C-alpha cells in the first residue's frame, strides 16, 4: 500500500488537498506537524499526529516536528470554547524542551530522511508588526478568515473571540510559508480541526511565493460513548511516566471498549492488516479474553515507554487478579495497582522485632470488624498477606513489606487494603 492507502485503511485520512498523492509519489518530500507547548508533556491525544509524522518517515519522506514556541504564546481557537490563559515565554520554552524529548521516541533523527525539530519562536519572536501585516496580512481577507469553522463557532459563542486568537491562523500560515522558503517543506499534517489553518498556509505559499503547499488531516478521535478520546476521570493520559505511570497508561488502553479496540489497533499501532484481522477474529470468538485490548495495550505501552515497562505493567495487571507475584513489583507500582483499595499508614517502628499481629493489622486496615472475626477468617484460610495465606497467630514484620514500604492485605477474593510503613 502507498502511504495514503495505509492511512485510509487505518481510518486516518479525513481530508487532503488536491494532488497530494501525486506530490508524495514524485519524490522525497518534507512534511511538518505542529505541537502546541501548553504543557511539558504530550498526552495520548498527540499520538496520532506524532505517528502521522512517523508513518511519513517510514514511507521515505522527511518529517519536521514544529514546536509552537511562538504560537503557544497566543493560543489556537480551534476546538476551544473559551480564551486560553496566556503563558509566559519561560513556560513555553520549558514545555517545548519537554516535548522534544518525547517526540524523539517516535521519529528517527539519523539517516538520509532524518527527522528534524523546529521552533516557530525562532522566526515569530523577531517578527515586526508592521512588516508582518504588510507581507502576510495583505494576503488574507477578513471574510475568508471568519468563514473558518473554528473562528465562526467562537464568534457565535458567548465568550466571543479576541483579536489575539483571531490572528492565530495568520501565524500558522506564516509558519508554513517560512518553512517552505527555508527548508522546502511542502506538506503539513494535523487533526481535522486544523484544516482551515493548513489551507490558509497553502494559500499563502501560492500568493506570496508562487509555490504549492499540500495538507493532510486526520480525524479527531472519540470513543464509542461519544466522548473525547484520552480523557479520564483523573484527567489527561500523559506520555510522561511521572504524570501517568506506565501501569496506568497500560490500563488505559486495556480498558478500551470492545467497539473501539480494533479501530484503535489500526490507528495507534504499527500492526498491519493481517495482524489486526487475526486479532479481530480472536476478539469475536472469545471477547472475554480481550485479545485486541491486550495487544493494543502491549503495543502502545512498548512504543511509548519501552518493552521493560510494558512487561512490568502486564505483571502488575496480573497481580491485581491474583495471578502474579506481588513481591516482583516495587512499592510505587503496588500503590498504583491498588490505588482504589483503602489504605492505612502505620509507623514503621511497629513492624520491627516481633512485628504487628496479623489480626490487629486486618482490624486497623478495616478488613475485619474485630480480632475475633479476623481469627475466624484466618482459620478458614480467608486472610492473605502479600497474597500468601497467614495463620491467626502470625505477625507481619518489616521484612514482609515490599520495598520496605508497603504490605498488601487481602480478605477473601476481592477485598484489599494497603498498609504503608511510615518512617
Amino acid at each position: 500500500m502507498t502511504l495514503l492507502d495505509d492511512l485510509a485503511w487505518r481510518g486516518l485520512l479525513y481530508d487532503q488537498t488536491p494532488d497530494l498523492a501525486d506530490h508524495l509519489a514524485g519524490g522525497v518530500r518534507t512534511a511538518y506537524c505542529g505541537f502546541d507547548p501548553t504543557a511539558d508533556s504530550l498526552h495520548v491525544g498527540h499520538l496520532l499526529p506524532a505517528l502521522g509524522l512517523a508513518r511519513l518517515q517510514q514511507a521515505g519522506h522527511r518529517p519536521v516536528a514544529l514546536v509552537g514556541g511562538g504560537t503557544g504564546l497566543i493560543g489556537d481557537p480551534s476546538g476551544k470554547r473559551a480564551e486560553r490563559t496566556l503563558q509566559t515565554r519561560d513556560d513555553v520554552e520549558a514545555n517545548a524542551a519537554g516535548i522534544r524529548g518525547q517526540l524523539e521516541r517516535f521519529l528517527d533523527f539519523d539517516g538520509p530522511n532524518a527527522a528534524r525539530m523546529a521552533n516557530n519562536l525562532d522566526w515569530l519572536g523577531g517578527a515586526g508588526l508592521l512588516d508582518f501585516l504588510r507581507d502576510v496580512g495583505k494576503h488574507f481577507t477578513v471574510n475568508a478568515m471568519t468563514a473558518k469553522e473554528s473562528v465562526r463557532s467562537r464568534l457565535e459563542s458567548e465568550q466571543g473571540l479576541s483579536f489575539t486568537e483571531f490572528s492565530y491562523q495568520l501565524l500558522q500560515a506564516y509558519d508554513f510559508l517560512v518553512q517552505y522558503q527555508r527548508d522546502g517543506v511542502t506538506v503539513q499534517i494535523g487533526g481535522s480541526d486544523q484544516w482551515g489553518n493548513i489551507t490558509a498556509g497553502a494559500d499563502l505559499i501560492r500568493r506570496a511565493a508562487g509555490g504549492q503547499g499540500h495538507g493532510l488531516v486526520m480525524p479527531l478521535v472519540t470513543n464509542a460513548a461519544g466522548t473525547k478520546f484520552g480523557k479520564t476521570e483523573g484527567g489527561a493520559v500523559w506520555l510522561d511516566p511521572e504524570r501517568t505511570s506506565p501501569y496506568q497508561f497500560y490500563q488505559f488502553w486495556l480498558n478500551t471498549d470492545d467497539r473501539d479496540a480494533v479501530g484503535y489497533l489500526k490507528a495507534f499501532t504499527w500492526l498491519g492488516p493481517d495482524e489486526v484481522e487475526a486479532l479481530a477474529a480472536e476478539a469475536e470468538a472469545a471477547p472475554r479474553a480481550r485479545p485486541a485490548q491486550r495487544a493494543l495495550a502491549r503495543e502502545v505501552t512498548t512504543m511509548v515507554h519501552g518493552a521493560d515497562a510494558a512487561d512490568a505493567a502486564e505483571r502488575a495487571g496480573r497481580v491485581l487478579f491474583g495471578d502474579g507475584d506481588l513481591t516482583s513489583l516495587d512499592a510505587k507500582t503496588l500503590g498504583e495497582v491498588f490505588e482504589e483499595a483503602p489504605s492505612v499508614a502505620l509507623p514503621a517502628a511497629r513492624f520491627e522485632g516481633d512485628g504487628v499481629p496479623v489480626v490487629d493489622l486486618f482490624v486497623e486496615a478495616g478488613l475485619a470488624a474485630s480480632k475475633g472475626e479476623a481469627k475466624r477468617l484466618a482459620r478458614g484460610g480467608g486472610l492473605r498477606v502479600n497474597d500468601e495465606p497467614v495463620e491467626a497467630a502470625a505477625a507481619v514484620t518489616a521484612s514482609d513489606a515490599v520495598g520496605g514500604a508497603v504490605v498488601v492485605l487481602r480478605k477473601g477474593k476481592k477485598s484489599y487494603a494497603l498498609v504503608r510503613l511510615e518512617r
Side-chain angles (χ1 to χ4, degrees), residues 3 7 24 31-32 51-63 113 187 189 216 270:
L3 171 64
L7 292 175
L24 293 175
Y32 92 95
L51 282 169
L53 284 180
R55 297 189 202 283
L56 276 159
Q57 186 174 43
Q58 189 183 59
H61 303 291
R62 298 189 190 96
N113 62 331
V187 181
I189 71 170
L216 181 158
W270 290 95

Side-chain angles (χ1 to χ4, degrees), residues 239-246 332:
L239 305 193
D240 183 346
E242 296 302 316
R243 288 174 175 254
T244 299
S245 72
K332 181 176 181 293

Side-chain angles (χ1 to χ4, degrees), residues 86-160:
L86 296 183
Q87 296 177 294
T88 67
R89 187 176 294 248
D90 287 344
D91 288 339
V92 169
E93 290 180 354
N95 292 344
I99 289 171
R100 175 185 175 120
Q102 292 181 337
L103 287 173
E104 289 174 350
R105 301 174 188 171
F106 303 94
L107 303 173
D108 185 357
F109 284 79
D110 297 310
N113 62 331
R116 198 167 49 77
M117 298 290 302
N119 188 333
N120 64 13
L121 187 61
D122 293 345
W123 53 83
L124 292 178
L129 176 61
L130 293 179
D131 288 340
F132 184 83
L133 292 176
R134 182 192 63 198
D135 298 335
V136 178
K138 70 178 182 180
H139 294 292
F140 292 83
T141 66
V142 172
N143 308 60
M145 293 175 69
T146 55
K148 305 292 184 185
E149 172 59 30
S150 59
V151 171
R152 189 170 66 250
S153 62
R154 283 286 296 279
L155 288 174
E156 294 171 354
S157 70
E158 292 182 4
Q159 292 83 5

Side-chain angles (χ1 to χ4, degrees), residues 222-226 229 251-265 283 287 290 292-293 296:
T222 57
N223 58 31
F229 170 79
Q251 289 294 315
F252 167 78
W253 297 99
L254 187 63
N255 291 327
T256 297
D257 190 289
D258 289 344
R259 295 168 291 179
D260 295 320
V262 172
Y264 287 3
L265 278 170
R290 300 172 71 78
Q293 285 92 334
L296 175 66

Side-chain angles (χ1 to χ4, degrees), residues 184-377:
V185 174
T186 56
V187 181
Q188 183 181 172
I189 71 170
S192 58
D193 60 340
Q194 294 299 312
W195 182 245
N197 293 331
I198 290 174
T199 55
D203 287 344
L204 182 59
I205 288 172
R206 176 176 54 81
R207 292 169 180 165
Q212 188 173 14
H214 301 267
L216 181 158
V217 290
M218 295 169 284
L220 300 180
V221 180
T222 57
N223 58 31
T227 59
K228 188 174 181 180
F229 170 79
K231 295 293 185 181
T232 67
E233 291 182 3
V237 179
W238 300 95
L239 305 193
D240 183 346
E242 296 302 316
R243 288 174 175 254
T244 299
S245 72
Y247 168 74
Q248 293 164 331
F249 188 84
Y250 181 92
Q251 289 294 315
F252 167 78
W253 297 99
L254 187 63
N255 291 327
T256 297
D257 190 289
D258 289 344
R259 295 168 291 179
D260 295 320
V262 172
Y264 287 3
L265 278 170
K266 293 179 179 180
F268 294 103
T269 78
W270 290 95
L271 298 180
D274 291 344
E275 295 164 299
V276 172
E277 288 169 12
L279 286 165
E282 282 186 53
E284 188 173 354
R288 290 189 178 183
R290 300 172 71 78
Q293 285 92 334
R294 293 185 185 282
L296 175 66
R298 173 77 195 187
E299 291 288 327
V300 183
T301 305
T302 298
M303 179 173 59
V304 173
H305 295 298
D308 289 345
D311 287 341
E314 286 181 336
R315 287 199 307 272
R318 290 195 295 269
V319 162
L320 183 60
F321 294 98
D323 185 26
D325 181 9
L326 281 171
T327 60
S328 69
L329 307 180
D330 57 36
K332 181 176 181 293
T333 303
L334 273 178
E336 293 162 359
V337 171
F338 297 103
E339 65 177 343
E340 296 182 3
S343 66
V344 59
L346 299 176
R350 289 185 57 189
F351 294 84
E352 300 298 334
D354 294 334
V356 181
V358 161
V359 292
D360 292 355
L361 205 54
F362 274 83
V363 171
E364 292 183 56
L367 289 182
S370 65
K371 293 182 181 181
E373 181 190 2
K375 289 177 181 178
R376 289 192 299 274
L377 289 167

